[in-house]
């Protein structure tokens, strides 16, 4: 029995990874039931408390060189074309639990495979806003920096969450400033009144509670761009890290996951439906998902749903499994022929990002 009421209108079975700030996701039996994740099951990743926003005084502030423009929410809705995009968000920390099983990763959330969801977002194209600042024909090596209204504390300092994306990505049609999620007003926990949605990139760049955009010739200096969300080599740790020294994460990598059967579950014999999701980054899509019941010696191709790029691909396969102990492994190939590494050991990093090793579940058929 749950002692705490689940906040933010989330589903009663929502898996809470952290209460304050609130973080959690869907239980695996519900995660892949629908291509579009119902909002009450959509995962939440917050680094600070959800800010209280007074919509009358809310302004989006955009800066480029000496020019600053302010927009109210109504002006954003009325002055620009409304567009919809169907897109998956995935946190770079998804599947960190498997990395933690190899070596401890202190102070980070122990996500299983639920830090991913899919929604239909509506709002305006970021490129339309950039055009009002007169930057559409600028040199390619600019960056578009975002800041949210939530505050957090790191390294003894309080500051707002932020991040940036390269200008080249920002002017693509799929990058939007969203005020609706699943055809309803964006909810407080997902960024009301306005958030960025950057399909194909790690979730951290989809800044919620957006109040500032700066077009600049360098990436954001915010902690969550300059220090966190970087991919370090496996021998780097908090004692020898040079924070500025490694890959600043942008596009997601290819991954696939088994959601059913769940790890350590017990099933009755007969025809068993194995299912899960696969996802990739950039504007790539999933080309193949296959599973193995003999530790990778042979593979069976699964059935894929038809999707657009920027969307996860739900997959399934029916298997007749004999009584006894089983292990199933899944791996995917994307449209650039990217594949997943075999072992979690190969992708371990001390912040626990981007784990896309073959996903394995063990279970018993009785
Ligand atoms: N934006 C703000 N302002 N504050 C945050 O903590 N978290 C980021 C991103 N945007 C965050 C944010 C991260 S790490 C992820 S994965 C996504 O929001 C999660 O979005 P969601 O909570 O709507 O699922």
């Amino acid at each position: 029995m749950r002692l705490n009421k689940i906040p933010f209108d989330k589903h009663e079975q929502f898996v809470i990874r952290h209460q304050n700030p609130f973080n959690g996701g869907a239980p695996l039996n519900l995660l892949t039931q629908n291509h579009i994740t119902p909002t009450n099951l959509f995962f939440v990743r917050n680094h600070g408390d959800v800010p209280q926003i007074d919509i009358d005084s809310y302004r989006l502030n955009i800066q480029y060189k000496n020019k600053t423009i302010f927009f109210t929410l109504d002006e954003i809705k009325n002055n620009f074309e409304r567009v919809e995009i169907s897109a998956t968000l995935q946190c770079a920390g998804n599947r960190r639990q498997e990395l933690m099983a190899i070596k401890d990763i202190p102070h980070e959330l122990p996500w299983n495979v639920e830090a991913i969801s899919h929604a239909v977002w509506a709002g305006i194209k970021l490129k339309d806003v950039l055009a009002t600042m007169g930057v559409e024909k600028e040199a390619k090596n600019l960056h578009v920096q975002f800041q949210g209204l939530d505050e957090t504390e790191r390294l003894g300092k309080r500051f707002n969450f932020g991040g940036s994306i390269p200008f080249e990505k920002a002017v693509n049609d799929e990058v939007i400033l969203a005020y609706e999620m699943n055809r309803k007003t964006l909810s407080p926990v997902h960024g009301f009144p306005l958030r960025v949605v950057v399909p194909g990139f790690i979730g951290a760049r989809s800044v919620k509670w957006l109040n500032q955009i700066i077009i600049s010739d360098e990436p954001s200096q915010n902690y969550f761009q300059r220090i966190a969300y970087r991919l370090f080599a496996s021998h780097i740790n908090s004692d020898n890290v040079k924070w500025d020294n490694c890959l600043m994460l942008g596009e997601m990598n290819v991954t696939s996951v088994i959601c059913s059967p769940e790890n350590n579950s017990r099933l009755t014999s007969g025809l068993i439906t194995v299912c899960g999701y696969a996802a990739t980054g950039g504007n790539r899509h999933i080309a193949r998902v296959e599973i193995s019941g003999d530790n990778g010696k042979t593979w069976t191709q699964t059935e894929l749903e038809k999707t657009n790029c920027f969307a996860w691909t739900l997959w399934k396969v029916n298997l007749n499994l004999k009584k006894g102990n089983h292990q199933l492994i899944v791996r995917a190939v994307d449209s650039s022929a990217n594949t997943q590494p075999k072992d979690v050991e190969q992708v371990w990093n001390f912040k626990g990002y981007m784990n896309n090793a073959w996903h394995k579940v063990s279970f018993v058929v009785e």
Side-chain angles (χ1 to χ4, degrees):
M1 201 182 81
R2 291 216 185 229
L3 294 176
N4 294 331
K5 191 177 168 296
I6 308 282
F8 301 111
D9 294 327
K10 287 295 169 185
H11 193 280
E12 57 180 13
Q13 288 177 47
F14 204 69
V15 179
I16 298 180
R17 293 279 170 215
H18 203 262
Q19 271 294 350
N20 278 314
F22 184 72
N23 282 281
L28 298 199
N29 60 323
L30 300 179
L31 181 62
T32 53
Q33 269 195 342
N34 299 291
H35 178 69
I36 297 173
T37 313
T39 304
N40 67 353
L41 286 168
F42 201 102
F43 84 103
V44 173
R45 178 69 183 107
N46 289 335
H47 293 83
D49 291 336
V50 173
Q52 301 279 335
I53 291 164
D54 167 27
I55 201 61
D56 292 332
S57 54
Y58 170 81
R59 298 287 180 277
L60 173 67
N61 156 355
I62 307 168
Q63 296 172 27
Y64 177 52
K65 294 184 176 158
N66 299 328
K67 187 170 171 184
T68 303
I69 299 188
F70 293 90
F71 288 110
T72 64
L73 186 63
D74 278 348
E75 285 168 339
I76 288 164
K77 288 182 175 174
N78 299 332
N79 297 4
F80 297 93
E81 181 199 0
R82 179 184 184 278
V83 290
E84 267 191 7
I85 176 102
S86 185
T88 297
L89 284 191
Q90 183 177 189
C91 187
N94 196 24
R95 301 184 57 193
R96 184 179 285 124
Q97 233 176 57
E98 297 158 61
L99 301 172
M100 286 171 154
I102 292 174
K103 201 158 79 179
D104 195 19
I105 302 179
H107 317 301
E108 298 291 344
L109 289 176
W111 292 111
N112 185 14
V113 301
E114 76 284 13
I116 183 170
S117 304
H118 185 89
V120 178
W121 309 92
I124 63 171
K125 285 182 201 157
L126 176 59
K127 79 171 189 193
D128 290 349
V129 176
L130 298 178
T132 63
M133 302 299 285
V135 277
E136 79 267 48
K137 292 194 178 72
E138 283 292 327
K140 284 181 177 168
N141 44 6
L142 291 177
H143 296 264
V144 181
Q145 306 183 1
F146 309 115
Q147 186 185 271
L149 283 159
D150 54 329
E151 286 190 358
T152 184
E153 196 171 316
R154 293 286 189 287
L155 310 173
K157 285 193 187 129
R158 264 196 100 63
F159 58 92
N160 297 83
F161 184 92
S164 60
I165 57 172
F167 186 79
E168 272 183 312
K169 174 72 180 178
V171 290
N172 289 350
D173 281 351
E174 73 272 9
V175 182
I176 68 166
L177 308 183
Y179 45 75
E180 281 174 29
M181 175 181 183
N182 292 339
R183 310 234 154 83
K184 297 242 164 63
T185 301
L186 202 57
S187 65
V189 79
H190 290 294
F192 174 84
L194 196 67
R195 78 172 299 167
V196 191
V197 176
V198 189
F201 269 44
I202 61 165
R205 306 305 176 225
S206 291
V207 173
K208 301 190 274 190
W209 312 294
L210 180 73
N211 78 324
Q212 190 178 55
I213 299 177
I214 300 175
I215 300 129
S216 145
D217 50 14
E218 58 172 20
S220 165
Q221 290 299 302
N222 190 281
Y223 174 92
F224 294 99
Q225 181 79 36
R226 199 176 73 79
I227 293 181
Y229 295 108
R230 282 188 185 253
L231 193 63
F232 294 97
S234 55
H235 66 279
I236 303 293
N237 57 47
S238 51
D239 297 327
N240 62 14
V241 63
K242 290 194 176 62
W243 288 109
D244 285 338
N245 227 353
C246 254
L247 175 68
M248 223 175 228
L249 291 171
E251 289 184 0
M252 281 305 305
N253 53 8
V254 61
T255 191
S256 58
V257 156
I258 299 167
C259 292
S260 180
E262 291 188 37
N263 205 24
N264 300 324
S265 55
R266 304 184 89 79
L267 313 177
T268 41
S269 59
L271 201 63
I272 289 166
T273 302
V274 181
C275 65
Y277 66 79
T280 188
N283 51 11
R284 299 179 289 279
H285 62 267
I286 293 295
R288 192 168 77 222
V289 177
E290 49 197 8
I291 63 162
S292 172
D294 56 8
N295 207 20
K297 285 192 205 75
T298 58
W299 296 88
T300 305
Q301 211 152 314
T302 69
E303 197 187 309
L304 308 186
E305 64 168 352
K306 283 208 164 44
T307 54
N308 56 310
C309 62
F310 310 124
W312 63 359
T313 299
L314 305 186
W315 59 265
K316 64 173 192 252
V317 63
N318 291 325
L319 296 180
N320 236 323
L321 296 175
K322 291 191 188 124
K323 288 186 180 175
N325 293 326
H326 290 270
Q327 185 188 59
L328 287 177
I329 305 176
V330 68
R331 68 178 185 190
V333 179
D334 76 10
S335 50
S336 295
N338 294 314
T339 57
Q340 299 179 232
K342 187 170 176 230
D343 301 309
V344 190
E345 284 83 355
Q346 287 172 268
V347 292
W348 192 91
N349 59 96
F350 89 108
K351 294 285 288 174
Y353 298 134
M354 305 297 268
N355 173 20
N356 70 336
W358 292 2
H359 187 244
K360 300 177 184 176
V361 291
S362 300
F363 55 95
V364 182
V365 177
E366 296 173 326

